[in-house]
Amino acid sequence: MADNLDRRALLAAGIGFAAATTTIGISPAFAQGDEDVHALDQSTEVVKGPFVQPELGFETTALDPVISSQTMVLHYEKHHAGYYNKLNKLVQGTPYEAMSLVEVVRQSKQQDLHQDIFNNAGQALNHVQYWETLVPGGPAEPDDILKAAIDESFGRFDVMVNQIVEQSGSLFGSGWIWLVRTPENKLSIVKTRNGNTPIAEGGSPVLNLDLWEHAYYLDYQNRRKDHVRALLEKSINWRVVSSRFQDA
């Protein structure tokens, strides 16, 4: 009898939990511990401050079907805008108000008590760099200068693409994958968690891809690697990447 009661209690608890999760409206696409669902809850009203979200530079429909308009609107107008709004609130009355976004990232990274500022500044900056490298129907391959660096570092362009794709699938949770110029003028693949960036440590990234679920889940569900491959093969502005490599 006791076993039956315990079993019924467990079942009741399970039903109660299921009902609770339905009631509070957890979205299956974003019900992950590392996903920044708080950005969706933030007001769409722009918070005035020293940091202004740049214009996107292309229509939200421009990257379809690699990235759908629905994802672009959510990503740019809600998530990215949310980081700017939160950052402007956090820096009010602090020395960070007078800094550039890059300076805020580097300075706040060193302060344990300023991690909220670092997280939002990092995400604001990471997305700016990300949008700049996306282009509708971009060139299929890099120019000769960047291609030479890729060949020296990875052997061939397609080998680099495959390595980026595979490593993107191995990042646990949310974050970014980067192509970074090394001091030896080669290229290296780097992964960072959450809003971190190689720039915080003085690195020289030339390409970054967003591995947070909000960047791909509506279009690819759990197929993160398919999303990354589609971007690399169809939607990267390799001219921008090459320019960053030469300027780094």
Side-chain angles (χ1 to χ4, degrees):
M1 178 67 71
D3 289 343
N4 289 336
L5 287 173
D6 289 344
R7 186 170 181 272
R8 285 198 295 270
L10 287 171
L11 287 172
I15 293 171
F17 177 76
T21 55
T22 301
T23 301
I24 63 176
I26 297 176
S27 169
F30 302 109
Q32 302 293 326
D34 289 313
E35 190 57 63
D36 62 337
V37 292
H38 61 81
L40 293 176
D41 296 331
Q42 294 176 7
S43 171
T44 55
E45 181 180 354
V46 175
V47 177
K48 292 183 179 180
F51 303 105
V52 179
Q53 182 186 24
E55 295 291 330
L56 186 57
F58 50 84
E59 297 295 326
T60 57
T61 57
L63 298 173
D64 198 12
V66 176
I67 304 177
S68 69
S69 176
Q70 183 182 15
T71 292
M72 283 301 310
V73 169
L74 179 69
H75 200 168
Y76 176 77
E77 296 182 8
K78 302 297 182 182
H79 286 279
H80 194 201
Y83 298 127
Y84 272 91
N85 287 339
K86 186 70 177 294
L87 178 62
N88 280 324
K89 288 180 181 178
L90 290 169
V91 301
Q92 289 176 0
T94 74
Y96 292 114
E97 283 186 300
M99 298 182 187
S100 69
L101 191 55
V102 170
E103 289 173 331
V104 173
V105 167
R106 288 176 174 164
Q107 292 296 322
S108 60
K109 172 71 172 178
Q110 303 172 30
Q111 306 294 328
D112 290 341
L113 296 179
H114 298 168
Q115 284 306 295
D116 278 352
I117 292 176
F118 172 73
N119 290 336
N120 285 277
Q123 283 292 78
L125 179 62
N126 291 350
H127 281 83
V128 170
Q129 295 179 307
Y130 175 59
W131 304 134
E132 288 176 350
T133 57
L134 299 183
V135 62
E141 293 187 0
D143 61 19
D144 290 342
I145 294 176
L146 183 59
K147 186 176 184 300
I150 291 172
D151 290 347
E152 184 178 2
S153 304
F154 301 99
R156 294 194 316 271
F157 175 74
D158 62 309
V159 173
M160 180 197 71
V161 168
N162 289 336
Q163 287 189 22
I164 294 174
V165 169
E166 288 305 312
Q167 291 198 39
S168 72
S170 67
L171 178 72
F172 184 80
S174 301
W176 297 79
I177 191 161
W178 309 77
L179 200 58
V180 177
R181 179 171 176 168
T182 70
E184 297 77 28
N185 295 328
K186 293 185 178 182
L187 291 165
S188 176
I189 299 171
V190 174
K191 294 178 291 185
T192 61
R193 291 291 311 278
N194 300 321
N196 205 353
T197 164
I199 289 177
E201 309 293 343
S204 301
V206 300
L207 173 68
N208 61 317
L209 300 179
D210 194 343
L211 302 184
W212 288 70
E213 286 188 344
H214 62 235
Y216 64 87
Y217 211 93
L218 292 177
D219 302 326
Y220 296 85
Q221 291 78 51
N222 64 331
R223 295 177 289 112
R224 177 194 280 175
K225 293 196 293 185
D226 289 352
H227 167 67
V228 171
R229 183 175 294 280
L231 282 176
L232 290 170
E233 294 180 349
K234 299 177 181 178
S235 298
I236 297 299
N237 189 337
W238 293 106
R239 297 185 188 92
V240 171
V241 179
S242 181
S243 177
R244 289 179 180 175
F245 176 78
Q246 295 175 62
D247 294 341

